[in-house]
């Protein structure tokens, strides 16, 4: 996809994935983890909201904004708060306050770059003399983002004393910015050995420590051929957390411990990975549960799950749970408690869970994750962990039936029969 700057934005897959983590033995209950790709519509040209009124831009040209936007970028780089706020000096007080918080949050981040660029004019309000423009914001987190992350925002500009200046955002004309972690309260940043944790919620240091510990756990299974680092976002506001997690997450993020997601990047590179953590739900997990959830999410990051358009859902989520539970003290019957009760009542699953079974609101969400996990666990038990990894990688290139045939020498029906027998033996 191309925009007015002549650069393409790489977007993650628009999907929803959740794993129901049944930690019965640890007393944490059924808590959810997942992976999602942000919808391209959030920052793509094709889905920009329709303006209240669009007319010819008149005397305004994108070049008119270059000076004010350039001043903002220089102020962020140099730490000149006065210069940054001067670019909104004619705006209402509430917008100036919001921009002051934005500046403070940007200065707390390890930015390798931050700049704004006008893409197009969205609306012209002749009565107020205001022009609303769509702006591409590009930034990069030093040491973690391989390329620039791209987000969309809308700014309202007007001439004051002969110069164009920022007088607000686009919300009054029906335009809304992409969400970012800096939209919340005062940020704290904790940098671990392999992690960068950003948010305004408490407990960032603990999350950084656990992420650091999870990196070798994941690498021990998937290998070292990934970045072996992660960025986690931990907003205190539940609404911001849900928005950052992406459009397809179904129930509110308050029901989910963590979600792996991809945000758009400039150029042909795939989007940058983020782990969004819901601090309230994550805080209710016990020690083992927190480690399992973070290893699960890092597995999605390591395997590029938010960008994956080929691998079946049961293998993506089952594999992540396999890595998460591997080496933990949680027994099979405890981890698959909901499924175990069904099997004990004579209701053995007849087929591997379909993609729709992992959608938010699915009536057997927990059981679907448990079924997927046991399928991957069976492969590791019978064929070896290396074979499970090979199946995962093969399924990312070829259809599921071909992957099962090439790696396990089984038809899908044959694999399903083996899995059903394994489920009955492990849970009865």
């Amino acid at each position: 996809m191309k925009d007015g700057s002549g650069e393409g934005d790489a977007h993650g897959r628009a999907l929803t994935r959740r794993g129901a983590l049944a930690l019965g033995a640890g007393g944490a209950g059924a808590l959810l983890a997942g992976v999602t790709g942000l919808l391209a519509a959030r920052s793509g040209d094709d889905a920009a909201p329709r303006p209240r009124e669009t007319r010819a831009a008149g005397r305004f040209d994108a070049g008119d904004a270059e000076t004010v936007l350039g001043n903002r970028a220089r102020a962020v780089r140099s730490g000149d708060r006065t210069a940054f706020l001067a670019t909104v000096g004619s705006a209402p007080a509430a917008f100036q306050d919001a921009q002051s918080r934005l500046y403070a949050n940007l200065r707390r981040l390890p930015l390798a770059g931050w700049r704004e660029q006008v893409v197009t004019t969205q609306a012209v309000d002749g009565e107020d003399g205001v022009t609303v423009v769509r702006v591409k914001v590009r930034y990069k987190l030093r040491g973690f983002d391989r390329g620039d992350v791209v987000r969309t925002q809308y700014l309202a500009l007007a001439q004051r004393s002969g110069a164009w200046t920022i007088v607000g955002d686009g919300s009054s004309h029906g335009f809304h910015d992409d969400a970012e972690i800096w939209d919340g309260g005062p940020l704290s940043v904790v940098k671990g050995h392999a992690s960068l944790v950003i948010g305004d919620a408490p407990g960032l240091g603990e999350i950084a420590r656990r992420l650091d510990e999870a990196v070798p756990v994941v690498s021990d299974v998937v290998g070292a051929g990934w970045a072996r680092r992660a960025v986690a976002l931990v907003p205190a506001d539940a609404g911001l957390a849900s928005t950052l997690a992406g459009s397809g997450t179904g129930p509110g993020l308050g029901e989910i411990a963590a979600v792996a997601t991809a945000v758009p990047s400039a150029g042909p590179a795939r989007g940058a990975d983020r782990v969004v953590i819901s601090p309230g739900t994550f805080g209710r997990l016990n020690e083992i549960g927190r480690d399992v959830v973070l290893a699960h999410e890092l597995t999605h990051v390591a395997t590029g799950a938010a960008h994956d358009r080929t691998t079946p859902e049961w293998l993506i989520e089952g594999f992540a749970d396999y890595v998460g539970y591997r080496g933990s003290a949680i027994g099979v019957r405890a981890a698959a408690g909901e499924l175990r009760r069904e099997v004990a009542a004579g209701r053995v699953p007849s087929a591997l869970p379909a993609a729709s079974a992992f959608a938010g609101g699915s009536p057997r969400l927990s059981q679907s994750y448990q079924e997927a996990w046991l399928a991957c666990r069976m492969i590791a038990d019978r064929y070896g962990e290396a074979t499970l990894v090979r199946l995962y990688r093969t399924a990312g290139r070829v259809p599921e039936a071909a992957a099962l045939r090439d790696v396990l020498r089984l038809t899908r029906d044959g694999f399903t029969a083996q899995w059903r027998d394994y489920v009955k033996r492990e849970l009865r």
Side-chain angles (χ1 to χ4, degrees), residues 119-138:
V119 176
T120 188
T121 298
Q122 295 293 145
V124 177
D125 192 326
E127 182 178 346
D128 296 332
V130 170
T131 298
V132 178
V133 295
R134 181 156 60 91
V135 175
K136 173 190 286 186
V137 180
R138 297 168 60 117

Side-chain angles (χ1 to χ4, degrees), residues 338-354:
E338 290 87 351
L339 183 59
R340 177 177 59 83
R341 286 190 286 274
E342 290 186 352
V343 171
R347 299 194 303 275
V348 179
S350 60
L352 290 162

Side-chain angles (χ1 to χ4, degrees), residues 5 12 67 83 146 154 180 225 227 254 257 273 292 305 328 331 377 393 400 416 424:
S5 69
T67 298
R146 289 176 294 183
Y154 299 89
E180 260 293 357
D273 292 296
V292 170
S328 77
R377 189 175 185 272
R393 291 173 175 164
E400 175 186 353
T416 301
K424 287 186 287 187

Side-chain angles (χ1 to χ4, degrees), residues 94 119 231 336 353 409:
V119 176
V231 177
R409 301 292 186 265

Side-chain angles (χ1 to χ4, degrees), residues 247-265:
S247 301
T249 54
L253 199 64
E255 303 175 44
I256 303 169
V259 172
T261 188
V263 293
S265 292

Side-chain angles (χ1 to χ4, degrees), residues 318-367:
F319 184 73
D321 267 355
Y322 171 80
V323 177
Y325 283 120
R326 180 178 178 265
S328 77
I330 303 173
V332 176
R333 292 167 65 85
E338 290 87 351
L339 183 59
R340 177 177 59 83
R341 286 190 286 274
E342 290 186 352
V343 171
R347 299 194 303 275
V348 179
S350 60
L352 290 162
S356 59
F358 298 96
S362 172
R364 296 185 68 255
L365 188 60
S366 296
Q367 293 91 326

Side-chain angles (χ1 to χ4, degrees), residues 103-127:
Y103 171 82
N105 281 340
L106 290 175
R107 287 293 299 170
R108 293 184 179 105
L109 296 174
L111 292 174
W114 183 89
R115 63 188 177 93
E116 300 164 308
Q117 179 182 12
V118 173
V119 176
T120 188
T121 298
Q122 295 293 145
V124 177
D125 192 326
E127 182 178 346

Side-chain angles (χ1 to χ4, degrees), residues 36 53 59 74 77 84 92 112 115 129 131 174 184 239 258 308 344 377 395:
T36 181
E53 181 181 8
R59 291 178 297 168
R74 282 189 294 274
R77 287 196 303 270
F84 186 89
R115 63 188 177 93
T131 298
D308 193 333
R377 189 175 185 272

